[in-house]
Amino acid sequence: MSKDCVTVTLLDNVFEIALKMKQHDIGFVGVLDGDTFIGGVTDRDLVIRGYAEKHSGSTAVETVMTKGMITVASNTTVDEAAKIMAQHQIRRLPVIDNGKLVGIVAIGDLAIRGNYEDEAGEALSQISKEPTLVGSH
């Protein structure tokens, strides 16, 4: 888990998120209301909900953020986190204790832990699985 989380508030905008991602070389920024975690923005969110929708850099965080994210508590095991990531097909899992963002588990975090390479591989294979199209049988 990465503990040094970069965050923004609802007062920030899309340009400020992109700048923080560039400065910190990250693809996820947590969104806080005061010190309470209320959602997040990924680099993909910026593209899909922001720039591809022709929103400007001054667009509000709320326009591109993901609310109601799947989260875990800090006492969640690595195995449980990997299963949750695979089940929900997510690459980043915010760690929340008492409403506060305490860290982020990324698929890469699982891969670098020697004992959990299998879990990372399984989670990634579930996330990256091509969907079966209706009528393809």
Side-chain angles (χ1 to χ4, degrees), residues 45-59:
D45 292 333
L46 284 180
V47 172
I48 302 299
R49 295 186 191 143
Y51 298 116
E53 293 294 324
K54 298 185 180 180
H55 290 293
S56 70
S58 62
T59 300

Side-chain angles (χ1 to χ4, degrees), residues 3 10 13 18 35 67 76 86-87 95 124 137:
K3 293 183 180 180
L10 293 175
N13 61 42
D35 59 356
K67 300 174 188 170
T76 303
Q87 178 184 3
V95 181
L124 187 57
H137 295 261

Side-chain angles (χ1 to χ4, degrees), residues 15 21 28 31 41 90 114:
F15 173 77
M21 286 182 177
F28 176 86
V31 181
V41 179
I90 53 178

Side-chain angles (χ1 to χ4, degrees), residues 2-22:
S2 300
K3 293 183 180 180
D4 296 327
C5 300
V6 176
T7 62
V8 295
T9 71
L10 293 175
L11 299 177
D12 291 307
N13 61 42
V14 168
F15 173 77
E16 292 162 328
I17 297 168
L19 187 60
K20 284 187 177 198
M21 286 182 177
K22 179 181 178 184

Side-chain angles (χ1 to χ4, degrees), residues 38-127:
I38 59 170
V41 179
T42 66
D43 43 7
R44 188 171 195 278
D45 292 333
L46 284 180
V47 172
I48 302 299
R49 295 186 191 143
Y51 298 116
E53 293 294 324
K54 298 185 180 180
H55 290 293
S56 70
S58 62
T59 300
V61 168
E62 198 164 19
T63 303
V64 297
M65 72 181 274
T66 300
K67 300 174 188 170
M69 296 183 75
I70 305 291
T71 64
V72 294
S74 61
N75 63 353
T76 303
T77 67
V78 173
D79 189 46
E80 291 170 325
K83 286 178 184 174
I84 290 167
M85 293 170 84
Q87 178 184 3
H88 295 282
Q89 298 188 359
I90 53 178
R91 296 175 185 268
R92 297 175 185 95
L93 188 60
V95 181
I96 309 296
D97 283 337
N98 300 316
K100 313 281 188 276
L101 178 64
V102 296
I104 300 289
V105 176
I107 197 75
D109 295 331
L110 300 177
I112 62 171
R113 298 268 316 250
N115 296 342
Y116 296 100
E117 289 174 356
D118 291 340
E119 286 86 346
E122 175 65 19
L124 187 57
S125 71
Q126 292 297 319
I127 293 166

